[in-house]
Amino acid sequence: MSSLMWYLLFMTLITSRTVLANESSTLDMKVDVCNITGVWRNELGSTLHVKADGSEVRGVYETAVESTRGAAGEHRTARVIGIVGDGTQPTVSFSVLWEKGSCSAWVGQCFILHDGAQVLKTFWMLRSVADNLAGDWGSTRLGEDLFFKT
């Protein structure tokens, strides 16, 4: 990974907004376990429909945004595959392969807030197809998503 990518990742990590970190999980919550299975919507309007079966996660992701028009394909949906850890607030990782050949991956954790709401805090990486090695530098983007269970 280039030094620019490391710098961008570092800056994303240290400047990312938190989800009321001081209000995160407590032992007297209404919900006992953050359940990955269900429908999640992020702050940009993208929707994640997933079902966990043991440690395996499968579903469909419908994006509300694209890096360029048509990049995600005609229907802007992709199949999700991933894994989820154990515990009351498990870690999760999932990926999609878009119709036009780019791929995205998310890694994060499911949290239960003080009011019992479930949120999925993730960092993502989008890899677009580069025409050649010289065009590689601009083909990877990083960011974060906050999904709320609907």
Side-chain angles (χ1 to χ4, degrees), residues 5-126:
M5 292 303 299
W6 281 113
Y7 171 78
L8 291 173
L9 179 59
F10 174 74
M11 292 307 294
T12 300
L13 291 172
I14 64 170
T15 61
S16 65
R17 67 185 185 339
T18 58
V19 182
L20 305 174
N22 60 343
E23 295 183 19
S24 62
S25 36
T26 62
L27 295 177
D28 58 345
M29 294 175 269
K30 297 175 187 172
V31 176
D32 294 334
V33 176
C34 197
N35 185 359
I36 298 298
T37 295
V39 179
W40 301 81
R41 183 175 299 274
N42 74 9
E43 68 277 12
L44 298 174
S46 297
T47 306
L48 173 66
H49 300 260
V50 291
K51 182 176 188 320
D53 184 8
S55 63
E56 186 175 292
V57 175
R58 295 210 178 259
V60 175
Y61 190 88
E62 182 177 357
T63 186
V65 297
E66 295 176 288
S67 58
T68 58
R69 185 168 175 77
E74 182 180 350
H75 302 290
R76 296 167 49 149
T77 61
R79 193 179 61 191
V80 171
I81 58 170
I83 53 175
V84 63
D86 290 329
T88 58
Q89 298 186 115
T91 57
V92 63
S93 174
F94 58 93
S95 302
V96 301
L97 177 62
W98 299 106
E99 185 178 312
K100 301 288 181 156
S102 61
C103 57
S104 300
W106 291 257
V107 62
Q109 187 171 354
C110 191
F111 291 102
I112 305 169
L113 302 180
H114 72 285
D115 64 354
Q118 297 177 64
V119 296
L120 189 55
K121 172 73 173 174
T122 64
F123 285 95
W124 57 263
M125 182 177 289
L126 166 64

